[in-house]
Amino acid sequence: MDFQQQIRRRGGAIREKVYLRVTQPSSWKLPKQSSSIAPPDVWTNSGEALPTVPDGPDEAPVLSEVTDAVQRTDQDPVPEEKRTWTKWAFITYWFSDLITISTWMQASAIMTTGLSATDAILIVMCAGVCNAVPTVLNGAVGSELHIPFPIAIRASFGYHLSYFCVVVRGLLALFWFGVQSANGGGCVTAILTAVWPGYARFPNHLPDSAGTTSQGLLSYFVYWCIQFPLLLIPTHRLQRVFWVKTVLVPPMALGMVVWITVRAGGQGEFFYEPAKVSGSKRVWLWLSNLTSVTGGYSTLAVNIPDFSRFSQSRGAQLWQLPVIPVFKTICGVFGVISASASRHLYGKTYWSPLEIIAQWQSTPGGRAAAFFAGSIWLLAQISVNVSANSISFANDITTLCPRFVNIRRGVVFASLVGGWAMCPWIIVSSASTFLAAMASAACFMGPLAGILFADYWIVKRKRYDVPALYDPRGIYGSCNWRAAVTSLVVIAPLLPGIAQKVTPQNVRVGAGIANLFAVNWLYGFFASIAMYCALNCVAPDRRTLIPAVVPGYSDAGQGPLHGVQPPGCDDIESQRGGGGGGGEGGKSSSLRSSDEKEKTTSAAAGSPEKVAAPSASTEVTWSV
């Protein structure tokens, strides 16, 4: 079979697939795959079947069966061969996330509220710490159990109530996907203007209400086309993208700062200006800006298991603790220095690096610099969308709609809905709307991060029954009322503040509510921890307080484990091919073999040991 025949037959397979998708809506349904861990009646899927080239010239294209190599589903615990993330992967991941146009602008934007440059840099550094601590604590769930966020959150919220958390996180991922894409469109404008100077005079045919111009919309479309194929890179192979950005972005960013500082003669008046506010007003402005900057990355403190589950070792993800504040602060300092120097050099303050690049377009050498700088910032924007937004949303929607969506389809959905349907250029064009959205995100993410941390580290002491997390009839139940009450009580006082932020002309709130909203992330995180722990002390769910970890994989390669079952589930266990029955009402039971009782006993005494997989010849018993 020659190359041309292969191309023709491959094209025929693709045409056949497109025809089925258009004419038969049922063809969108993914083939049900056997999960390595979920019960047989729970729908799971893996990579979408691909069209294969037929052997004979007269055979029709067919959809191939998914091979054993990819049989493990998108939401299953990550197999050992895909745990490829070392400490360097986490360092470059956060470099990819934090060295962006948005982070560059954060510190300098704080100064527009009346605070000093010193205040702005300190706020960014404190926000980095506020992001780093819960990120590392919640990342332990992924690095130790190798499960994603939509599965891990079931331990604290319950199987079905966890969908609320997944929906909230998914909507925020779409929002940030669109915002970062809109910034990426600005990079394309700088690149095209450097190549064709006449592009700067591209005629506009859109009304002011559109929130963008014809030039801006065309640049956005070009950016979207460049970004789309990169979104399809599997998560365990993303390190290559991060490494490319890590090599290219620092010299460019540092070069921009050095260049504009030298051109300004080391002058920058407002870098040394004192704050324009004082007293209690300055304190509340400080806290309000801290909340906004923290809220911008608070989502990753919740869904970091989506990435830490690929960790090679438990300690690899600990490197997030120092690198998040460091990278965030360095990028913020760059933004403040360049903004200060730009006002001295150009007579106008430019907060964005793209605004500075736009000033280089008047000479051939300047256009060359603009082309290369714009291209590297373009890579930076694509990297953060790939790493922080598209994959996170894909994990969320795969959990919600496993019959029709897998990871690949999820990122395609994010690129269409987050990239176009949400009209992100309108959000970015309004600074007040953008800041309100950032602050509102923290209202929901703070409590979720707090509950996830409290449940894993304090209430259950790192002892999760992973197979039960995949079972709607498992010990974690459908709804954990403790998490529901905690979320409702903690978030409810913040709702008037959200309404006032979104529609300040129509909603008035008192000083107390306004001040509480100013610290909504810190309040939500710590209040949820305190209340969730208190409710579990007063009314603990003893079924879930197992004496040892039940992992979702076998270290010895003997097959998957099946977890603890609630009372009255003998028939479920028989479907799963497991052993006997469950425990009495109100008591917890754990799976162990007769020759492992000593290990489990020691785990119950305080060491969260894993329960090993029983061998085929070992009689499995259930102990109460």
Side-chain angles (χ1 to χ4, degrees), residues 17 30-33 44-50 64-67 69-75 82 398 405-409:
K17 188 173 182 179
L30 292 165
K32 187 178 187 300
Q33 302 297 328
T44 57
N45 64 65
S46 64
E48 187 174 359
L50 300 175
S64 67
E65 295 294 331
V66 181
T67 63
V70 296
Q71 186 74 18
R72 186 177 290 265
T73 67
D74 289 332
Q75 297 297 298
K82 289 188 177 181
T398 297
V405 183
N406 55 19
I407 295 294
R408 180 176 290 263
R409 290 185 179 182

Side-chain angles (χ1 to χ4, degrees), residues 41-192:
D41 60 309
V42 175
W43 190 279
T44 57
N45 64 65
S46 64
E48 187 174 359
L50 300 175
T52 58
V53 179
D55 294 331
D58 298 327
E59 295 183 22
V62 297
L63 294 178
S64 67
E65 295 294 331
V66 181
T67 63
D68 292 338
V70 296
Q71 186 74 18
R72 186 177 290 265
T73 67
D74 289 332
Q75 297 297 298
D76 280 5
V78 176
E80 187 172 359
E81 64 271 14
K82 289 188 177 181
R83 298 175 200 166
T84 58
W85 283 42
T86 64
K87 65 180 181 181
W88 293 109
F90 283 99
I91 291 173
T92 55
Y93 168 80
W94 278 106
F95 189 93
S96 174
D97 259 17
L98 293 173
I99 308 301
T100 64
I101 295 172
S102 298
T103 312
W104 179 290
M105 297 171 59
Q106 278 179 348
S108 54
I110 291 172
M111 299 178 63
T112 63
T113 64
L115 296 176
S116 67
T118 302
D119 289 330
I121 294 171
L122 288 175
I123 287 171
V124 170
M125 183 173 63
C126 291
V129 174
C130 290
N131 289 138
V133 172
T135 296
V136 170
L137 292 173
N138 291 335
V141 181
S143 64
E144 295 182 5
L145 303 179
H146 304 285
I147 55 177
F149 157 72
I151 303 300
I153 200 68
R154 292 173 180 173
S156 49
F157 278 80
Y159 192 95
H160 293 104
L161 184 59
S162 68
Y163 291 161
F164 163 76
C165 309
V166 172
V167 169
V168 170
R169 164 58 196 148
L171 291 175
L172 290 174
L174 287 179
F175 168 80
W176 281 111
F177 183 93
V179 168
Q180 298 294 355
S181 296
N183 288 332
C187 300
V188 173
T189 298
I191 295 170
L192 294 181

Side-chain angles (χ1 to χ4, degrees), residues 45 103 132 144 168 211 250 263 309 345 349 363 419 448 457 551 556 584:
N45 64 65
T103 312
E144 295 182 5
V168 170
R263 286 294 305 273
R309 65 178 176 142
L345 182 61
T349 303
T363 64
L448 293 186
W457 288 93
E584 298 175 2

Side-chain angles (χ1 to χ4, degrees), residues 446-447 450-451 486 489-490 520-533:
I451 291 173
T486 298
V489 171
V490 172
N520 62 68
W521 189 89
L522 294 173
Y523 154 77
F525 183 71
F526 290 106
S528 62
I529 292 174
M531 187 169 185
Y532 186 75
C533 290

